[in-house]
Amino acid sequence: MKIWQINNMCYNLGMDKNFKTRFVVGLSMFMVALVGLYTFDGMPFRVIYALFVIVAGMELMSFFRRRRSFNNTILAILEFGFLYCSILFVAQVDVVQFWYVILGVPGYDIFAYLFGKLWGGKIIKKSRPFPRISKNKTWEGTCLGLVMAMGMVTILMVMRGSFASEWFYLLCGPLALIGDLFESYLKRRFGVKDSNEIVIKYPAFKGLEALVGGSEGHGGFLDRVDSTAFATTILLIISSLG
């Protein structure tokens, strides 16, 4: 496909230059993660993910310093707990189990965004599912994103023959949605539009903004791991109970 065709496709979907930057950076990060996941028993990937989460934690700490209160303290502790548990989860699962998470969590985010851009407001025109927390989400994008995420995870489970023992990974999509909504609520509570607003204020982190595709209207490290952190925390709890 020629470059001008890609540009036209992006324009027709309502995707600006920032989206194209995010797509290229996201694809590059995915390739790096893929290499890290399949070399040295996945240790490079686990280390990179842990560093990623540490920077996300620094962003969260900056949130807290803006508006300190008892309720905000509880919310920050919860989010720190999700981030910590996500590191524990990544440290102990095998490659296929992490593919469940990749297909279910980032998979949901991607398809929810694409379907929302394509059909958002065209089928269900009068309302949004979460107007007070995340006003840009649409019923079409949310529902179809969940269907695609659960469908992809189901296919991989059937191929592996592990549906009976790993059925709870079907929750990745719904958990991704809840985690994203929780982080959106967090940002509203702390008066932050995008988490990269925190990162770019520190000279040492200016270069890191490009790493996550950060720019106006696009978040930083915490926005990249919010859904994954919540989803993997719940998955870790379920697998521990089982």
Side-chain angles (χ1 to χ4, degrees), residues 82-95:
F82 298 152
L83 293 173
Y84 176 72
C85 288
S86 72
I87 294 178
L88 295 180
F89 177 87
V90 170
Q92 61 183 263
V93 297
D94 62 36
V95 172

Side-chain angles (χ1 to χ4, degrees), residues 103-105 107-109 130 137 142-143 145-151 153 167-182 227 230-231 234-235:
L103 294 175
V105 180
Y108 160 75
D109 287 337
F130 314 103
K137 282 185 171 53
T142 300
C143 295
L146 289 173
V147 170
M148 290 298 296
M150 297 177 74
V153 174
W167 60 268
F168 52 90
Y169 282 97
L170 289 174
L171 299 174
C172 283
L175 292 174
L177 171 61
I178 296 172
D180 184 51
L181 291 174
F182 180 76
S227 299
F230 180 80
I234 303 302
L235 294 173

Side-chain angles (χ1 to χ4, degrees), residues 29 48-60 63 79 83 183 194-200 205-214 218-229:
M29 292 176 66
I48 292 172
Y49 182 81
L51 294 174
F52 211 91
V53 169
I54 288 171
V55 179
M58 295 173 68
E59 292 177 350
L60 180 59
F63 286 9
E79 186 67 18
L83 293 173
E183 206 250 347
D194 295 313
S195 57
N196 70 355
E197 293 176 8
I198 306 300
V199 175
I200 60 178
F205 290 150
K206 284 185 177 180
L208 294 180
E209 183 191 1
L211 178 62
V212 294
H218 177 57
F221 284 75
L222 187 59
D223 283 350
R224 304 282 66 77
V225 298
D226 54 357
S227 299
T228 302

Side-chain angles (χ1 to χ4, degrees), residues 38 94-101 156 160 162 166:
Y38 284 96
D94 62 36
V95 172
V96 177
Q97 288 171 327
F98 198 78
W99 271 109
Y100 293 151
V101 176
L156 185 56
R160 194 185 192 195
S162 60
E166 297 179 328

